[in-house]
Amino acid sequence: MQAVQYQGAATRYELLLESGDRLLVSQPNFSVGLNAEGPAVGGEVLASWPRDAMVALDGGR
């Protein structure tokens, strides 16, 4: 976890991948306020999603 940004209704997480690339994740907040528990900067996380949630990109065509 490289960065965490509380944005009101959602929290944005910036993940640094082993390849050096970044993955940006936005997750709705289910708890109230900045003290809601979540991943901490510097910690490891596992990012996953259902296969049917994926959208293939066609290179901008």
Side-chain angles (χ1 to χ4, degrees):
M1 178 74 57
Q2 191 170 26
V4 178
Q5 299 170 351
Y6 177 75
Q7 299 177 334
T11 298
R12 181 176 180 248
Y13 300 99
E14 184 176 322
L15 309 180
L16 181 61
L17 306 179
E18 289 180 2
S19 66
D21 292 324
R22 292 183 308 153
L23 177 64
L24 303 177
V25 177
S26 181
Q27 180 179 25
N29 289 324
F30 299 111
S31 298
V32 178
L34 288 171
N35 293 328
E37 289 190 31
V41 172
E44 282 193 24
V45 296
L46 173 65
S48 65
W49 48 89
R51 183 177 200 90
D52 63 347
M54 295 176 58
V55 176
L57 303 177
D58 65 2
R61 297 180 196 179

